[in-house]
């Protein structure tokens, strides 16, 4: 019987505080919930089907149709929920055999086959070009000589070139193209009274915007970059979803909405012809 530590005692100490890294699907789901977005909101913003969003959040990438499509979906969903996609892409590549290899170049013999053949100098074309140049020079010289003769005849008849130039009609100057003026507050205020008009402008950053008319028809569904502006009109009402309401300036029926929207907050708003209410 040996005296000493047993094999169980020689096992390395495992720190129970060390937790496994958070999965890709869980990271996307927690970021979506923190952003106040539903799966339907993310699907609408990214055009990724709801079933695929659910599958990715459950770490099931089979419905994506391959690693290339899965990587694209992960990157798109991460950006929609304001999450850095780089760590997620690295985690996915590590678990799925690395990044896809680039497409192999075409074989060398194919490149050689389409390469144009070398040809010697085309002396016929060179001679034709030289003859055309000589004929052009002779014609230009004859034309200049005719112009000088006409001027001499005018002097002999007592008509000076300056007088002829004065008698010739003046050329019309082109009118400058009127540039379209920038839209002003008064132009925004001049909206039809029988419709609801909503203008959104991303002044403090980019924001995802979704707009629908009173029939539920989608008018706009995309990221509005900083400095960009969109205007929506309907006969009854406009339904809005602002992904980052704090970055948006909002005008309704020509009047600015002064609500104190918070940065990063998701706002769902509805405006009609009578909005904003007086007072």
């Amino acid at each position: 019987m040996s005296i000493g530590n047993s094999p169980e005692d020689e096992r390395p100490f495992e720190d129970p505080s060390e937790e496994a890294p958070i999965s890709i699907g869980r990271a996307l789901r927690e970021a979506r919930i923190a952003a106040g977005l539903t799966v339907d909101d993310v699907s609408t913003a990214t055009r990724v089907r709801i079933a695929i969003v659910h599958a990715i959040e459950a770490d099931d990438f089979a419905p994506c149709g391959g690693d290339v499509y899965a990587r694209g979906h992960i990157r798109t969903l991460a950006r929609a929920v304001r999450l850095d996609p780089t760590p997620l892409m690295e985690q996915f590549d590590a678990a799925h055999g690395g990044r896809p290899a680039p497409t192999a170049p075409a074989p060398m013999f194919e490149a050689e086959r389409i390469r144009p053949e070398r040809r010697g100098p085309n002396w016929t074309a060179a001679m034709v070009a030289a003859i055309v140049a000589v004929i052009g020079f002779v014609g230009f010289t004859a034309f200049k000589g005719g112009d000088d003769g006409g001027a001499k005849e005018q002097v002999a008849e007592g008509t000076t070139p300056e007088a002829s130039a004065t008698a010739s009609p003046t050329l019309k100057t082109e009118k400058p193209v009127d540039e379209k003026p920038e839209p002003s507050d008064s132009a925004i205020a001049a909206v039809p009274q029988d419709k609801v008009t909503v203008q959104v402008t991303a002044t403090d950053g980019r924001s995802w915007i979704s707009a629908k008319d009173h029939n539920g028809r989608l008018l706009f569904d995309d990221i509005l970059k900083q400095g960009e502006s969109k205007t929506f009109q309907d006969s009854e009402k406009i339904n809005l979803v602002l992904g980052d309401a704090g970055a948006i300036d909002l005008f309704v029926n020509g009047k600015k909405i002064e609500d104190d929207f918070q940065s990063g907050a998701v706002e769902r708003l509805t405006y009609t012809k009578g909005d904003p209410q007086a007072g």
Side-chain angles (χ1 to χ4, degrees), residues 19-54:
E19 298 181 357
I22 187 172
S23 69
I24 297 173
R26 182 180 173 187
L28 291 172
R29 182 175 180 274
E30 291 181 355
R32 173 180 61 77
I33 295 173
L37 299 174
T38 65
V39 173
D40 189 23
D41 293 336
V42 173
S43 176
T44 302
T46 61
R47 293 181 172 82
V48 177
R49 290 187 289 114
I50 293 177
I52 294 181
V53 177
H54 279 299

Side-chain angles (χ1 to χ4, degrees), residues 61-84:
F61 304 104
C64 296
D67 291 351
V68 174
Y69 295 104
R71 296 177 86 261
H73 290 330
I74 292 171
R75 184 183 294 106
T76 301
L77 295 180
R79 290 173 177 170
V81 297
R82 295 186 287 277
L83 192 65
D84 183 9

Side-chain angles (χ1 to χ4, degrees), residues 24 33 35 56 60 94 108 138 150 173 180 210 237 248 261 276:
I24 297 173
I33 295 173
I56 291 177
D60 179 11
M108 184 63 69
V138 172
T173 58
K180 294 183 178 179
S210 176
K237 67 179 179 180
I248 295 298
F261 296 134

Side-chain angles (χ1 to χ4, degrees), residues 182-183 188 199-209 220 223-231 244 246-249 251:
E182 294 294 330
I188 296 173
Q199 183 188 59
V200 291
T201 303
T203 55
D204 297 328
R206 53 185 287 170
S207 175
W208 168 66
I209 304 295
F220 182 79
I223 299 294
L224 198 65
K225 297 180 181 178
Q226 184 172 4
E228 291 184 341
S229 178
K230 289 290 182 182
T231 302
D244 185 356
I248 295 298
D249 276 354
F251 289 84

Side-chain angles (χ1 to χ4, degrees), residues 185 187-199 231-234 236-238 250-257 271-277:
D185 292 341
I188 296 173
V191 295
Q193 300 298 319
D194 59 341
K195 295 182 179 180
V196 55
T197 303
V198 177
Q199 183 188 59
T231 302
F232 313 106
Q233 258 187 7
D234 188 66
E236 296 184 17
K237 67 179 179 180
I238 295 292
L250 189 59
F251 289 84
V252 177
N253 296 325
K255 298 180 181 179
K256 186 175 182 180
I257 302 300
Y271 293 104
T272 62
K273 290 184 289 187
D275 291 328
Q277 299 295 331

Side-chain angles (χ1 to χ4, degrees), residues 127-142:
M127 291 177 63
V128 171
I131 294 172
V132 170
V134 172
I135 294 174
F137 177 78
V138 172
F140 177 77
T141 304

